[in-house]
């Protein structure tokens, strides 16, 4: 049985403004109708492959749970890192959680990559499985189709021949090269892009950590041993996990392992790590223009136009090699060749404390989401969407009152000791200090408009009395 381990962290700042810290790129629909994370989950829904272990940060746990359900994962394990410590501790924690099944094979994958040829990927996995059963540590290397300077490389001893993937010994890792060196790599057929995908048996990877990176063993083992169940989550013990080094699996194990094998992977892979890579994998017209959402292209060439908001029409006129991305609260316009510099722009926005650097107008919660429509002195207007069967916490506010107007669906509303059903086109007033709760008892999403008035409208003005999601007073402060 292969046990997938899906790594689901990172902020994806190079795809700003669509990808931000509060909702990174793996959860976005970058290349189709489903998110990259959902595509990753579905990719391993095959006979002989178990439900995945997903290692993620506490901020993303409810988004992960929702998208796992959408992707059809029956019994996944959601492992919560109290603090991001890079890929080595995350993979080690997953391996330690499986230590009672030493012969189990782990397939470790990022959650934010795109693969066009699923059958080719599956074939490579089956070849890797045989090598892993023989005790090898396997990494997957993508057959390059261009001289790329943005990726690290895996160097083989011999050129790739044939179309059937097979395990080959690794000569070494190569950092991101200059253009001339990348040209040589492409011509040599002895170099593969480092995809960050791995396969090994639990026993072999644990032994590798013991020998090659023993300093991680004690803190991560204690974090796993001290883990606790929190609803459907497996929450690692915070104190020991924070003692683990922040180190990647490449530096900790793979680059110092002398017996690592490589499976060439030719499957239309992309890490979608920049807007240029999104453009390259998009459905371009005869002029090389890729359009998504409400966009209009006039006399444009080799350009990406993307509108992420229904109410925003993006028009490009005479553009060449340009990326133009519009969301409800931010617009990016950049030379396609400079798309790697988006990360630098996000750092500048953070330094200036501009909220768009990290936060979306739409804020995702375990019960649904909300979005601020208007904000002024002493008032705020929000659109709130509550999933069927979901409920906000039983709560009160010290500084604000609220007025709820139901525009679609029905709501069970508790105000102090009164509970009533509020239907479409009806409203209810929540006085300052009243203990209240909002629930969706129906089969369709509940949409309502919330009008807040008061001296302070911050999301931390909440006293929580009951919560079906087991959040504390300071956890996920908004409702």
């Amino acid at each position: 049985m292969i046990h997938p381990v899906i790594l689901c962290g990172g902020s994806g700042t190079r795809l700003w403004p669509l990808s931000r810290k509060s909702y990174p790129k793996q959860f976005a629909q970058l290349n189709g109708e489903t998110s990259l994370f959902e595509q990753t989950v579905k990719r391993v829904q095959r006979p002989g492959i178990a439900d995945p272990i997903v290692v993620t940060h506490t901020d993303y746990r409810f988004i992960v749970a929702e998208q796992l359900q959408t992707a059809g994962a029956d019994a996944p394990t959601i492992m919560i890192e109290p603090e991001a410590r890079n890929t080595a501790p995350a993979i080690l924690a997953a391996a330690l959680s499986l230590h009672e099944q030493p012969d189990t094979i782990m397939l470790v994958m990022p959650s934010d990559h795109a693969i066009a040829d699923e059958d080719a990927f599956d074939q490579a996995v089956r070849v890797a499985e045989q090598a892993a059963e023989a005790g090898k540590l396997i990494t997957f290397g993508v057959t390059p189709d261009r001289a790329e300077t943005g990726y690290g490389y895996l160097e083989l001893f011999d050129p790739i021949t044939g179309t059937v993937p097979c395990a080959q010994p690794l000569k070494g890792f190569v950092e991101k090269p200059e253009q001339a060196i990348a040209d040589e790599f492409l011509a040599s057929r002895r170099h593969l892009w480092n995809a960050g995908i791995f396969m090994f048996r639990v026993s072999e990877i644990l032994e590798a950590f013991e020998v090659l990176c023993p300093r991680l063993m004690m803190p991560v083992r204690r974090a796993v041993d001290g883990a606790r169940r929190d609803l459907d989550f497996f929450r690692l013990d915070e104190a020991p996990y924070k003692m683990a080094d922040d180190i990647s699996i490449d530096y900790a194990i793979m680059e110092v392992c002398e017996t690592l094998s490589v499976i060439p992977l030719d499957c239309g892979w992309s890490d979608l790590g920049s807007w240029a890579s999104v453009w390259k994998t998009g459905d371009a017209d005869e002029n090389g223009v890729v359009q998504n959402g409400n966009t209009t292209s006039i006399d444009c060439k080799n350009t990406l136009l993307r509108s992420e908001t229904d109410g925003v029409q993006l028009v490009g006129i005479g553009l060449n090699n340009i990326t133009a991305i519009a969301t409800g609260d931010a617009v990016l316009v950049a030379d396609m060749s400079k798309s790697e510099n988006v990360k630098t722009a996000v750092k500048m926005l953070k330094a200036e404390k501009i909220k768009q650097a990290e936060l979306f107008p739409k804020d995702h919660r375990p019960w649904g989401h909300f979005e601020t429509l208007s904000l002024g002195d002493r008032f705020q207007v929000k659109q709130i969407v509550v999933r069927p069967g979901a409920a906000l916490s039983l709560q009160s506010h010290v500084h604000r009152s609220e007025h709820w107007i139901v525009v679609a669906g029905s709501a069970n509303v508790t105000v102090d000791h009164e509970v009533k059903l509020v239907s479409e086109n009806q409203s209810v007033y929540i006085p300052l200090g009243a203990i209240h709760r909002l629930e969706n008892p129906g089969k369709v999403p509940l949409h309502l408009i919330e009008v807040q008035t008061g001296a302070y409208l911050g999301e931390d003005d909440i006293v929580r009395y009951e919560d079906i999601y087991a959040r504390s007073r300071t956890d996920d402060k908004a409702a």
Side-chain angles (χ1 to χ4, degrees):
M1 180 69 75
I2 296 175
H3 215 126
V5 175
I6 300 175
L7 306 179
C8 194
S11 58
T13 54
R14 288 181 296 172
L15 290 178
W16 185 90
L18 178 60
S19 175
R20 307 185 198 180
K21 183 179 179 181
S22 66
Y23 200 76
K25 71 170 183 173
Q26 61 264 29
F27 303 122
Q29 296 177 358
L30 269 171
N31 63 339
E33 298 299 319
T34 57
S35 72
L36 297 177
F37 175 67
E38 290 172 300
Q39 293 169 28
T40 305
V41 173
K42 291 180 178 180
R43 191 169 298 134
V44 291
Q45 291 175 343
R46 302 281 194 276
I49 301 183
D51 273 311
I53 296 174
V54 180
V55 186
T56 190
H57 190 268
T58 186
D59 290 349
Y60 308 137
R61 65 193 189 279
F62 293 114
I63 303 172
V64 165
E66 180 182 355
Q67 294 201 358
L68 278 167
Q69 185 178 24
T70 302
D74 294 326
T77 298
I78 304 176
M79 182 177 289
I80 305 298
E81 289 184 291
E83 184 174 293
R85 307 305 292 162
N86 217 314
T87 55
I91 293 170
L92 178 56
L96 288 168
S97 73
L98 295 169
H99 76 278
E100 294 182 354
Q101 307 169 51
D103 293 331
T104 291
I105 294 174
M106 298 171 60
L107 171 60
V108 178
M109 302 176 294
S111 60
D112 56 357
H113 293 179
I115 290 178
D117 191 339
E118 301 282 357
D119 290 337
F121 176 78
D122 190 55
Q123 182 184 23
V125 166
R126 295 307 176 183
V127 172
E129 181 182 10
Q130 297 176 13
E133 287 175 343
K136 296 182 181 294
L137 300 183
I138 305 295
T139 183
F140 292 78
V142 173
T143 305
D145 58 7
R146 62 186 184 276
E148 177 62 60
T149 60
Y151 298 149
Y153 284 76
L154 307 172
E155 183 179 5
L156 306 177
F157 286 95
D158 300 308
I160 303 169
T161 58
T163 57
V164 178
C166 62
Q168 302 183 41
L170 176 69
K171 184 175 181 180
F173 284 77
V174 184
E175 295 294 335
K176 297 176 182 179
E178 299 292 335
Q179 186 62 57
I181 301 299
D183 291 337
E184 293 178 9
F185 286 176
L186 182 64
S188 74
R189 294 186 59 81
R190 292 191 300 106
H191 294 82
L192 305 171
W193 293 335
N194 185 1
I197 305 173
F198 308 97
M199 180 177 279
F200 29 67
R201 283 195 308 204
V202 170
S203 56
E204 267 74 39
I205 193 61
L206 290 179
E207 181 180 356
F209 272 103
E210 290 278 12
V211 174
L212 301 175
C213 196
R215 65 187 184 276
L216 283 182
M217 292 299 295
M218 183 181 70
V220 178
R221 179 176 280 124
R222 287 181 176 176
V224 173
D225 291 344
R228 60 183 176 85
R229 280 286 174 186
D230 176 7
L231 298 177
D232 294 329
F233 309 112
F234 184 77
R235 190 181 289 274
L236 297 170
D237 193 355
E238 182 175 1
Y241 198 75
K242 285 185 174 181
M243 295 174 61
D245 287 355
D246 185 332
I247 185 171
S248 72
I249 190 68
D250 283 350
Y251 287 139
I253 303 296
M254 301 305 167
E255 294 191 12
V256 291
C257 177
E258 297 180 352
T259 58
L260 189 64
S261 295
V262 182
I263 300 287
L265 188 59
D266 190 1
C267 62
W269 172 92
S270 174
D271 72 340
L272 295 181
S274 67
W275 284 118
S277 63
V278 173
W279 169 72
K280 288 175 184 177
T281 58
D283 185 13
D285 66 14
E286 66 275 9
N287 295 314
V289 178
V290 175
Q291 296 177 248
N292 297 91
N294 300 322
T295 60
T296 301
S297 172
I298 302 173
D299 195 26
C300 295
K301 294 181 180 179
N302 301 326
T303 288
L304 174 63
L305 299 175
R306 189 173 183 122
S307 174
E308 298 296 327
T309 304
D310 290 340
V312 175
Q313 183 72 28
L314 177 62
V315 179
I317 302 175
L319 303 180
N320 190 12
N321 296 315
I322 293 295
T323 296
I325 313 296
T327 66
D329 67 335
V331 175
L332 169 70
V333 180
D335 187 298
M336 189 77 73
S337 66
K338 303 292 185 180
S339 61
E340 292 286 339
N341 294 340
V342 173
K343 190 173 184 178
T344 302
V346 174
K347 288 182 179 179
M348 293 176 62
L349 295 176
K350 284 182 62 178
E352 296 172 17
K353 300 187 184 306
I354 296 174
K355 65 180 182 179
Q356 285 92 333
E358 296 185 319
L359 301 178
F360 267 111
K362 182 182 290 186
D363 201 325
H364 291 265
R365 295 300 179 199
W367 42 261
H369 65 265
F370 69 86
E371 183 173 357
T372 296
L373 304 179
S374 180
L375 177 63
D377 185 27
R378 296 184 62 88
F379 79 90
Q380 181 170 208
V381 181
K382 290 182 179 179
Q383 178 184 8
I384 297 177
V385 178
V386 184
R387 294 196 305 272
L392 282 65
S393 60
L394 185 67
Q395 59 186 261
S396 65
H397 307 296
V398 176
H399 300 287
R400 71 174 184 257
S401 60
E402 296 172 342
H403 191 184
W404 295 340
I405 304 98
V406 175
V407 294
S410 298
N412 266 341
V413 177
T414 299
V415 181
D416 289 329
H417 301 294
E418 182 183 3
V419 180
K420 61 180 178 180
L421 182 68
V422 182
S423 300
E424 190 171 313
N425 292 324
Q426 295 180 332
S427 64
V428 63
Y429 176 66
I430 315 296
L432 186 149
I435 297 175
H436 59 281
R437 188 203 300 272
L438 176 67
E439 303 172 79
N440 180 359
K443 302 295 184 182
V444 298
L446 164 65
H447 293 253
L448 61 88
I449 300 299
E450 177 183 85
V451 181
Q452 301 177 355
T453 57
Y456 178 72
L457 305 173
E459 299 299 342
D460 54 349
D461 178 22
I462 179 173
V463 178
R464 185 175 285 122
Y465 304 96
E466 294 177 7
D467 184 54
I468 63 175
Y469 308 106
R471 294 169 296 171
S472 67
R473 167 64 178 85
T474 58
D475 183 33
D476 286 330
K477 293 175 182 175

